[in-house]
Amino acid sequence: QFGSEFVAMNPNSKIPAMYDYGIGDKPLRVFESGSILKYVAEKYEAFVPTDLAGKTEMYNWLMWQMGTAPYLGGGFGHFYKYAPLKIQYAIDRFSMEIKREFDVLDNELATKKYIVGDEYTIADMAIWPWIRCTIMHYKAKDFLQVDSYTNLMRWYDL
């Protein structure tokens, strides 16, 4: 992913990145998960509310995930699972923030089926893998007491 062809697709040399060859004379590059979700949803007119209020709320949550999950999830995962030296302060700090974000989601989902309401959107698509990674990949379900976030877990299991 550090070769010149990939860097031409994503200057940050990170996945995900893609070309859409089905539009125009030359391929259109799309990179970063939120941008890809937004692009595909708009291209196919799916998974985005049609009303301005619903669309704005959906983008609020998409941007929340883009700004929150990589830093918190990545930081937690690094110190909890991968760091060769276990630094308890770092584990505790990132755990506290992950739990705070889980609480935000749990409260938001108290009266909703999905993040934005009754409609499954790209916000759900963006947030769900972050929760799954924390539970399955980092194997932190018990450590973070994820089952105590009942609304979040109901949504996760849909």
Side-chain angles (χ1 to χ4, degrees), residues 6-20 28-39 66:
F6 193 88
V7 172
M9 186 178 0
N10 183 346
N12 196 34
S13 298
K14 299 290 182 189
I15 57 172
M18 62 176 252
Y19 282 121
D20 184 345
L28 177 65
R29 75 177 182 178
V30 189
F31 59 90
E32 298 298 334
S33 56
S35 182
I36 291 170
L37 284 169
K38 183 178 184 293
Y39 175 75
M66 299 294 109

Side-chain angles (χ1 to χ4, degrees), residues 18-142:
M18 62 176 252
Y19 282 121
D20 184 345
Y21 291 92
I23 185 167
D25 294 338
K26 65 179 188 170
L28 177 65
R29 75 177 182 178
V30 189
F31 59 90
E32 298 298 334
S33 56
S35 182
I36 291 170
L37 284 169
K38 183 178 184 293
Y39 175 75
V40 172
E42 289 179 358
K43 180 177 179 178
Y44 294 101
E45 298 178 354
F47 304 112
V48 176
T50 56
D51 66 296
L52 182 60
K55 188 180 291 187
T56 300
E57 184 69 359
M58 190 238 12
Y59 283 128
N60 288 340
W61 285 103
L62 180 63
M63 296 307 129
W64 173 86
Q65 192 278 338
M66 299 294 109
T68 301
Y71 169 70
L72 292 180
F76 171 77
H78 173 77
F79 288 108
Y80 181 76
K81 185 172 181 177
Y82 297 112
L85 175 65
K86 298 299 178 196
I87 302 169
Q88 195 59 48
Y89 171 78
I91 293 169
D92 292 345
R93 174 72 175 137
F94 280 103
S95 297
M96 179 184 68
E97 285 301 312
I98 291 280
K99 288 176 144 189
R100 188 180 71 76
E101 297 302 338
F102 282 2
D103 194 55
V104 167
L105 287 168
D106 195 61
N107 289 331
E108 191 65 26
L109 289 162
T111 60
K112 299 176 181 177
K113 182 175 182 178
Y114 297 108
I115 297 296
V116 181
D118 291 331
E119 189 175 349
Y120 181 69
T121 70
I122 61 173
D124 297 280
M125 293 177 198
I127 295 168
W128 192 89
W130 173 57
I131 306 300
R132 180 168 174 79
C133 182
T134 304
I135 293 170
M136 303 299 290
H137 184 67
Y138 299 148
K139 300 190 183 325
K141 184 176 184 178
D142 292 336

